[in-house]
């Protein structure tokens, strides 16, 4: 993870733009941050606070320079301490920032230590800084290239040195990095968002690229074997958007994003006329005809979107569908089938495990790939044959909300397309499903109106240490998502179970102290779910039930019911997740947590 920004300019102090860039990249990690500049040598300011405090420190220290690098960290090697914060220096010679993990850093560290190098941090990054210096004989580019020939792992780096006040060398392998081309200045960043307003000309570096940046221009080299060959890369003219989105009447981005869902879902459907494979790309028609299996790969909340849609794809399109956690799939021996549609689902399109899993599937001969993603320029979209771009808009809260419901919207649309191609969708069903889908934004608005009732529940949840979530069928992944939301932002331990599995273990946990959140739509499993609720009641468990209007479930001594406005048939999961998001949000807020930046987490996980 981590966010990096670098700049070299002929005519201005780059520190304000570096700090601005860091603020926009804080979603990538916020354990610590730092800026280094060239100003008659190497100067830096580092902090374990947020970028806003770093900025005050920078003003106090009057840090300025025409060349600089900046970093916001999500800790992997070494605690979030100032000594582990980037930029790392090697003596007074080399300054370096890094996003990623250097896998063989221990052996290199030992070698360098044997040569007398002193280390001041526990990071893998500092090792790389010293390795560059070890190879430095007056040519920074050559030293970085030589160092990169030694390291294994994933990285996006930016380096400068004391002897060269204008040159920044950057490189990427497995972690995102984009160049920005200015007038008399050059930039690099983990995300174009960091450079919004500074330039509209961008170059997406490819894996193995090293770029030599000077204010007046740049040269890119591709790492092939141990050689670095000069290459050209396309310059794209595009407007980058910053995440400097107004909060409006909301306290947090998460709350704002929960309430944006009707708009986000409507936007995701905006360009959809009829149900046709071309919505997913020119070749989708042929591909959908050819495949006879679906394999979905994702992480976190996106994984739960995949898990939900498995129920749709099998029930409506009649296609066998497997769902895998990316970090598991990429390392296990699986049986590839080239007639599989491999679908990666990702808000960011940059999650390292999902991206690697996509490449792994392709290496196994499965070339029919589709990415459902919220960022059209992301690596996953670029790597896939087909794509569907959700229109959630920039999501800032680390806990994903509107990305999830727009993913579900896209996945339902995909289900209909697959069903149509496979001859399993009558004109009448198509019409009925599409009407239902187009009505979702309105239905979500009605659910959002339940907020005051959910706040009353959150008051009680705030003092709890554990919570259990139950669902059945297609609402089991919704229970999983509800538990994930609660644990990641309120820090209350939460687990989700398919309700029928309760008696095989988790029932042992049930007593008066544990709230049991139950997702209770009026579907064919309702009676079974009611029996599971009785099992909880008999053990004096406290049930908190989100029940569809016509379920007959009423509040009583140990059962608290919030009534959902309407039953929504196959699209019910999209509605039932909304109150679970609200419950997590308000519980975390009452507990005084930093809702948008929960401890130890980051929005975009670009390391393994
Ligand atoms: C992180 C985020 C989650 C997200 C997951 C996958 O863990 O905090 O909200 O679901 O990454 O991210 P992706 O961008 O691939 O959907």
């Amino acid at each position: 993870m981590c966010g990096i920004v670098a700049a070299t300019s002929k005519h201005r102090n780059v520190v304000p733009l570096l700090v601005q860039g860091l603020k926009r990249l804080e979603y990538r990690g916020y354990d610590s941050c730092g800026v280094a500049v060239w100003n008659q040598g190497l100067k830096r300011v580092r902090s374990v606070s947020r970028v806003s405090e770093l900025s005050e420190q920078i003003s106090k220290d009057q840090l300025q320079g025409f060349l600089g690098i900046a970093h916001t960290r999500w800790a992997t090697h070494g605690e979030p301490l100032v000594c582990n914060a980037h930029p790392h220096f090697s003596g007074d010679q080399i300054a370096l920032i890094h996003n990623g993990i250097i896998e063989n850093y221990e052996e290199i560290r030992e070698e360098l230590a044997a040569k007398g190098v002193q280390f001041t941090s526990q990071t893998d990054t500092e090792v790389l800084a010293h390795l560059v210096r070890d190879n430095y004989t007056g040519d920074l580019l050559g030293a970085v290239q030589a160092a990169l020939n030694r390291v294994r792992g994933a990285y996006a780096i930016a380096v400068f040195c004391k002897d060269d006040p204008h040159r920044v060398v950057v490189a990427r392998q497995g972690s995102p990095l984009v160049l920005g081309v200015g007038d008399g200045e050059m930039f690099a960043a983990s995300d174009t968002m960091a450079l919004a307003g500074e330039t509209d000309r961008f170059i997406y570096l490819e894996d193995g690229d090293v770029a030599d940046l000077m204010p007046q221009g740049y040269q890119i080299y591709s790492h092939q074997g141990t050689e670095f060959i000069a290459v050209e890369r396309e310059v794209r003219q595009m407007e980058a958007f910053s995440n400097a989105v107004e909060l409006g009447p909301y306290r947090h981005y998460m709350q704002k994003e929960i309430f944006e869902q009707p708009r986000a879902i409507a936007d995701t459907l905006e360009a959809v006329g009829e149900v046709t494979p071309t919505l997913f790309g020119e070749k989708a028609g042929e591909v959908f005809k050819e495949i006879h299996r679906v394999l979905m790969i994702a992480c976190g909340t996106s994984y739960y979107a995949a898990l939900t849609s498995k129920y749709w794809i099998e029930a409506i399109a009649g296609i066998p569908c497997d769902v895998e956690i990316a970090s598991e799939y990429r390392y296990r021996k699986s049986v590839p089938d080239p007639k599989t549609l491999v679908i990666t689902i990702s808000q960011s399109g940059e999650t390292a495990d999902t991206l690697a899993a996509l490449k792994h599937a392709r290496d196994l001969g499965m070339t029919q790939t589709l990415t459902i993603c919220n960022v059209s320029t992301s690596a996953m979209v670029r790597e896939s044959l087909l794509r569907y771009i959700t229109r959630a808009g920039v999501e800032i809260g680390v806990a994903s909300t509107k990305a999830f419901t727009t993913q579900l919207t896209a996945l339902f649309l995909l289900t209909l397309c697959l069903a149509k191609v496979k001859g399993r969708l009558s004109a009448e069903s198509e019409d009925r499903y599409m009407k239902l889908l187009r009505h979702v934004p309105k239905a979500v608005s009605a659910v959002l109106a339940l907020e005051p009732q959910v706040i009353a529940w959150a008051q009680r949840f705030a003092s709890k240490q554990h919570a259990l979530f139950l669902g059945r069928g297609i609402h089991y992944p919704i229970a999983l998502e509800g538990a994930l939301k609660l644990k990641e932002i309120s820090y209350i331990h939460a687990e989700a179970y398919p309700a029928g599995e309760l008696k095989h273990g988790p029932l042992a946990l049930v007593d008066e102290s544990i709230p049991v959140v139950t997702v209770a739509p009026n579907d064919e499993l309702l009676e079974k779910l009611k029996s599971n609720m009785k099992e909880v009641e008999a053990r004096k468990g406290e049930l908190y039930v989100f029940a569809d209007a016509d379920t007959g479930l009423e509040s009583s001594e140990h059962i608290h019911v919030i009534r959902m406005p309407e039953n929504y048939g196959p699209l019910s999961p999209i509605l039932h997740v909304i109150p679970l998001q609200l419950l997590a949000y308000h519980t975390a807020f009452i507990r005084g947590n930093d809702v948008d930046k929960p401890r130890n987490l980051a929005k975009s996980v670009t390391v393994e």
Side-chain angles (χ1 to χ4, degrees), residues 135-175:
N135 284 283
Y136 181 67
T137 51
D139 166 20
L140 180 64
L141 177 65
V144 172
Q145 292 176 338
L148 295 181
N149 270 333
R150 272 301 315 278
V151 299
R152 276 198 321 274
Y155 51 79
I157 57 166
V159 196
F160 70 93
C161 84
K162 182 184 162 204
D163 306 333
D164 209 336
H166 305 295
R167 168 169 281 121
V168 181
V169 176
V170 301
R172 76 157 280 198
Q173 175 65 52
S175 301

Side-chain angles (χ1 to χ4, degrees), residues 277-343:
T278 47
L279 292 167
F280 295 83
E282 261 174 52
K283 298 200 173 123
E286 278 162 55
V287 172
F288 291 179
K289 237 182 253 158
E290 207 174 299
I291 57 100
H292 58 207
R293 298 192 73 81
V294 169
L295 168 63
M296 298 207 203
I297 308 169
C299 300
T301 288
S302 298
Y303 171 72
Y304 294 142
L307 222 47
T308 308
S309 69
K310 171 186 167 81
Y311 289 82
W312 289 330
I313 291 179
E314 296 209 338
I316 300 174
I319 302 174
C321 175
D322 292 314
V323 182
E324 298 245 11
I325 289 178
S327 55
E328 289 294 317
Y329 174 70
R330 62 183 287 199
Y331 290 118
R332 79 180 182 84
K333 285 208 168 62
S334 54
V335 183
D337 176 349
K339 292 209 166 189
T340 302
L341 176 62
V342 177
I343 307 177

Side-chain angles (χ1 to χ4, degrees), residues 28-333:
R28 303 179 68 84
Y30 34 80
D31 288 328
S32 66
C33 48
V35 174
V37 295
W38 191 98
N39 191 337
Q40 310 307 320
L42 314 185
K43 304 267 159 43
R44 74 179 161 193
V45 175
R46 299 184 289 176
S47 165
V48 284
S49 309
R50 296 286 155 82
V51 177
S52 47
E53 277 133 83
L54 177 81
S55 172
E56 285 169 26
Q57 190 60 36
I58 283 173
S59 310
K60 239 190 265 157
D61 293 7
Q62 299 185 332
L63 190 78
Q64 12 188 309
F66 282 24
L67 175 154
I69 58 179
H71 187 269
T72 176
R73 178 170 187 247
W74 183 78
T76 55
H77 296 66
E79 281 175 67
L81 302 172
V82 170
C83 66
N84 289 327
H86 304 213
H88 285 282
F89 285 179
S90 179
D92 64 352
Q93 278 286 330
I94 300 290
L96 184 144
I97 51 176
H98 166 221
N99 165 31
I101 293 177
I102 305 298
E103 285 166 7
N104 57 340
Y105 80 103
E106 276 170 329
E107 84 190 43
I108 300 172
R109 189 178 165 118
E110 274 171 32
E111 277 172 36
L112 292 169
K115 289 184 182 179
V117 173
Q118 305 273 329
F119 292 87
T120 57
S121 79
Q122 290 104 48
T123 64
D124 49 339
T125 305
E126 190 193 358
V127 174
L128 186 52
H130 292 306
L131 186 63
V132 171
R133 189 176 65 161
D134 196 51
N135 284 283
Y136 181 67
T137 51
D139 166 20
L140 180 64
L141 177 65
V144 172
Q145 292 176 338
L148 295 181
N149 270 333
R150 272 301 315 278
V151 299
R152 276 198 321 274
Y155 51 79
I157 57 166
V159 196
F160 70 93
C161 84
K162 182 184 162 204
D163 306 333
D164 209 336
H166 305 295
R167 168 169 281 121
V168 181
V169 176
V170 301
R172 76 157 280 198
Q173 175 65 52
S175 301
L177 194 64
V178 63
L179 301 186
V181 183
D183 292 325
E185 42 193 19
M186 282 297 300
F187 315 101
S190 304
D191 188 326
T192 54
M193 202 193 274
L195 303 173
E198 302 299 340
T199 180
D200 58 0
R201 282 175 290 158
F202 294 97
I203 301 165
Y204 286 93
L205 292 184
E206 293 186 10
D207 271 348
D209 282 356
V210 177
D212 187 16
L213 312 182
M214 298 285 275
Q216 62 275 18
Y218 62 93
Q219 176 63 58
I220 302 171
Y221 301 87
S222 165
H223 197 174
Q224 293 172 13
T226 55
E227 301 292 303
F228 290 85
I229 316 290
V231 285
E232 300 279 325
R233 298 274 180 241
E234 184 193 351
V235 181
R236 300 185 192 205
Q237 186 98 21
M238 55 186 253
E239 197 183 342
F241 294 99
S242 77
N243 62 2
V245 182
E246 293 294 321
L247 265 176
Y250 301 101
R251 282 184 304 245
H252 295 97
Y253 285 108
M254 182 182 177
Q255 189 189 24
K256 177 173 189 273
E257 287 157 5
I258 290 173
F259 278 85
E260 275 174 352
Q261 291 178 104
R263 195 272 310 144
I265 294 167
D267 286 358
T268 297
L269 290 172
E270 195 188 61
V272 180
E274 55 161 347
V275 173
T276 158
T278 47
L279 292 167
F280 295 83
E282 261 174 52
K283 298 200 173 123
E286 278 162 55
V287 172
F288 291 179
K289 237 182 253 158
E290 207 174 299
I291 57 100
H292 58 207
R293 298 192 73 81
V294 169
L295 168 63
M296 298 207 203
I297 308 169
C299 300
T301 288
S302 298
Y303 171 72
Y304 294 142
L307 222 47
T308 308
S309 69
K310 171 186 167 81
Y311 289 82
W312 289 330
I313 291 179
E314 296 209 338
I316 300 174
I319 302 174
C321 175
D322 292 314
V323 182
E324 298 245 11
I325 289 178
S327 55
E328 289 294 317
Y329 174 70
R330 62 183 287 199
Y331 290 118
R332 79 180 182 84
K333 285 208 168 62

Side-chain angles (χ1 to χ4, degrees), residues 493-508:
H493 164 235
E495 274 194 71
Y497 261 86
E501 190 66 10
L502 200 58
K503 53 193 173 292
H504 298 294
L507 202 53

